[in-house]
């Protein structure tokens, strides 16, 4: 191997790539440890997906119980020591956040909430949330996020600590390649800013916190079964950190797994985001009385308290006119996409992409059927309260009869009529004998006109990326740490089977503080 070019345009002890929650926490801890820290973000605005998240950090009051839950939900796809490190961090994360809150007067609260599934340890779990931030009390947006969401408050708390510590931040600065010496040790990286390539020396380490590949079409084609999968909320996550880590020898895990619901598509091909369906409370199988309203907000992003499952106005049918799923699974925002993966080898197509969300006039009047959530200043959309704007612009279509709806959607008339008749009979009986949808969520479809929208899988965030150990060091396929290279957040999440709501934010905080501290304590390589 030839000797690397040792000329540099800038330098820092620790260079962190990606200014979302994980990058912010890593920067906070590196600065607290006395390291000269440089935080890079390729987008014009910070926050990543964290700033538009529901904002609940999963925490626990019992390490062993949380560990048991995490072991089950990860199903042997993640090493036990890595899971234990996360569980131990969850037990102290609330105290950590409360300490950060002293910087800007944020109010922190803990809300008990079961895990999404009835595994051992589910009762030990809760959410740590930012209830309020004084600086945001009268705000309607922050940076590129409209509507002050739970994640917006969390990011503001982290951002204020980054600023208070005097951390150097460079926006619109895209990391391109890691730079290594002849031994394979990471010693810096090349970035692109203002149309020019710059080389930045990292005297102690590089920490990758630049998210997944939600907005990289080619990576989605290669790693995800369904095609297409729409981008949900953020255009900045395009797999940069994954490619950079791969180029210096990183192993990968959980690349198939992504977090997301089904939703609707704008007919304008230039609009880059899908539309999430109306937010509804999560519920735990066997415990339907225990629901979580995390992420249930009004049109302005304000939290709405809802302590029971919601009435859902629609059903979803495939291209043959038949239902194929429980439209309201326990965690609609996570496993709602999985039924869309099915490929029919007899017809050589994905018969559920698109699928069709169908409801009637009474359903149209219930509430806004869908919503638009982005960390983006260039592409925004306000969903109408009565869904009529969406009928006018083609996101939704109207029909005076089911036969007309079937003709517009291109699905068999008789099959659709039979599906809707069967659905209405099950609603009357209070029993979905096909897919077991909860009775309290079931709404009849009887009153014309009828409406439909084309439904696609939407990715909120991917979980895959470079493998890391308990110290957040990125590993090779042989289990060896790549010297001076760390990762945190959704870039190589531990969740490779079933997600735990709020778990990625736990990884951002716990993985962020672990990576930041470990990077800062290394002796400079010079």
């Amino acid at each position: 191997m030839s000797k690397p070019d040792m000329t540099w345009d800038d330098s820092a002890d620790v260079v962190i790539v990606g200014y979302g929650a994980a990058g912010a926490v890593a920067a906070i801890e590196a600065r607290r440890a006395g390291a000269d820290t440089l935080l890079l973000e390729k987008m014009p605005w910070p926050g990543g997906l964290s700033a538009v998240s529901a904002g609940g950090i999963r925490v626990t009051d019992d390490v062993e119980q949380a560990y048991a839950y995490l072991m089950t939900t990860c199903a042997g796809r993640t090493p036990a020591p890595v899971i234990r490190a996360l569980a131990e961090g969850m037990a102290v994360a609330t105290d950590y956040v409360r300490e950060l809150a002293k910087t800007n007067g944020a109010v922190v609260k803990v809300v008990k909430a079961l895990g999404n599934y009835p595994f051992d340890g589910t009762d030990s779990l809760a959410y740590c949330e930012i209830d309020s931030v004084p600086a945001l009390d009268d705000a309607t947006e922050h940076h590129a996020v409209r509507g002050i969401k739970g994640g917006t408050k969390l990011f503001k708390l982290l951002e204020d600590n980054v600023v208070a510590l005097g951390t150097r931040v460079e926006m619109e600065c895209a990391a391109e390649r890691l730079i290594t010496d002849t031994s394979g040790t990471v010693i810096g990286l090349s970035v692109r800013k203002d149309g020019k390539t710059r080389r930045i020396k990292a005297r102690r380490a590089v920490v990758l916190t630049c998210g997944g590949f939600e907005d990289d079409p080619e990576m989605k084609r290669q790693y995800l079964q369904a095609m297409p999968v729409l981008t949900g909320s953020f255009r900045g996550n395009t797999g940069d950190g994954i490619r950079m880590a791969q180029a210096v020898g990183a192993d990968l895990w959980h690349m198939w797994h992504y977090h997301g619901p089904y939703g609707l598509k704008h007919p304008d091909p230039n609009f880059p985001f899908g539309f999430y369906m109306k937010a509804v409370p999560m519920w735990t199988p066997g415990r339907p009385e225990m629901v979580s309203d995390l992420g249930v907000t009004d049109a302005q992003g304000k939290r709405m308290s809802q302590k029971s499952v919601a009435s859902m106005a629609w059903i979803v049918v495939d291209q043959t006119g038949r239902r194929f799923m429980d439209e309201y699974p326990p965690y609609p925002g996570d496993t709602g996409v999985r039924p869309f993966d099915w490929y029919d080898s007899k017809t050589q197509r994905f018969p559920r992409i698109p699928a069709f969300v169908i409801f009637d006039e009474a359903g149209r009047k219930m509430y806004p059927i869908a919503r638009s959530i982005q960390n983006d200043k260039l592409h925004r959309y306000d969903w109408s309260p009565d869904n009529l704007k969406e009928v006018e612009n083609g996101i939704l279509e109207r029909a005076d009869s089911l036969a007309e709806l079937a003709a517009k959607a291109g699905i068999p008339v008789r099959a659709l009529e039979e599906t809707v008749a069967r659905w209405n009979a099950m609603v009357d009986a209070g029993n979905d004998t096909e897919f077991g949808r909860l009775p309290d969520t079931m709404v009849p479809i009887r009153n014309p006109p009828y409406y439909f929208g084309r439904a696609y899988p939407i990715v909120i965030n991917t979980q895959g990326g470079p493998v890391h150990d308990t110290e957040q060091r990125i590993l090779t396929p042989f289990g060896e740490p790549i010297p001076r290279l760390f990762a945190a957040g959704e870039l190589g999440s531990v969740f490779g089977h079933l997600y735990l709501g709020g778990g990625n934010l736990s990884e951002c905080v716990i993985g962020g503080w672990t990576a930041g501290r470990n990077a800062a304590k290394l002796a400079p390589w010079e």
Side-chain angles (χ1 to χ4, degrees), residues 34 40-41 66 74 81 84 91 113 115 135 167 228 230 233 246 265 284 335 362 375 391 431 443 475 480 487 493 499:
L40 307 177
E41 171 56 54
C74 290
R84 179 166 288 281
T167 311
L230 307 183
S233 292
Q246 281 184 287
K265 184 179 181 180
T284 300
T335 57
N375 184 358
V391 176
N431 183 19
V443 173
L475 306 180
E480 300 160 344
S493 165
Y499 180 59

Side-chain angles (χ1 to χ4, degrees), residues 78 127 292 393:
T78 307
Y127 290 115
S292 170
N393 65 26

Side-chain angles (χ1 to χ4, degrees), residues 55-63 65-67 69-70 86-98 108-115 121-129 500-507 509-510 513:
I57 304 165
R58 272 293 180 172
V59 296
T60 187
D61 57 6
D62 188 319
V63 170
Q65 287 293 300
Y67 173 70
Y69 185 96
L70 290 168
L86 180 59
E88 290 174 351
M90 288 165 60
V92 296
T94 298
D95 289 340
Y96 178 80
V97 173
R98 284 181 171 144
V108 180
K109 68 178 181 179
V110 175
V111 180
K112 289 291 293 183
L114 300 179
T122 189
D123 289 289
S124 71
L125 301 171
Y127 290 115
C128 173
E129 303 177 42
L500 169 64
N504 283 142
L505 285 179
S506 299
E507 293 184 280
V509 173
I510 298 160
W513 80 45

Side-chain angles (χ1 to χ4, degrees), residues 4-52:
D5 182 357
M6 299 298 280
T7 59
W8 307 97
D9 302 294
D10 197 356
S11 66
D13 291 328
V14 177
V15 181
I16 299 166
V17 180
Y19 192 4
V25 174
I28 290 165
E29 292 308 303
R31 285 293 296 142
R32 284 177 164 180
D36 173 23
T37 303
L38 177 59
L39 180 54
L40 307 177
E41 171 56 54
K42 77 174 182 181
M43 300 298 283
W45 46 80
L49 282 168
S50 304
V52 289

Side-chain angles (χ1 to χ4, degrees), residues 160-178:
D160 285 351
N161 277 270
V162 168
V163 171
L165 289 163
T167 311
R168 284 198 293 153
V169 177
E170 284 206 33
M171 304 300 296
E172 298 184 84
C173 185
E176 293 186 327
R177 297 260 185 164
L178 295 167

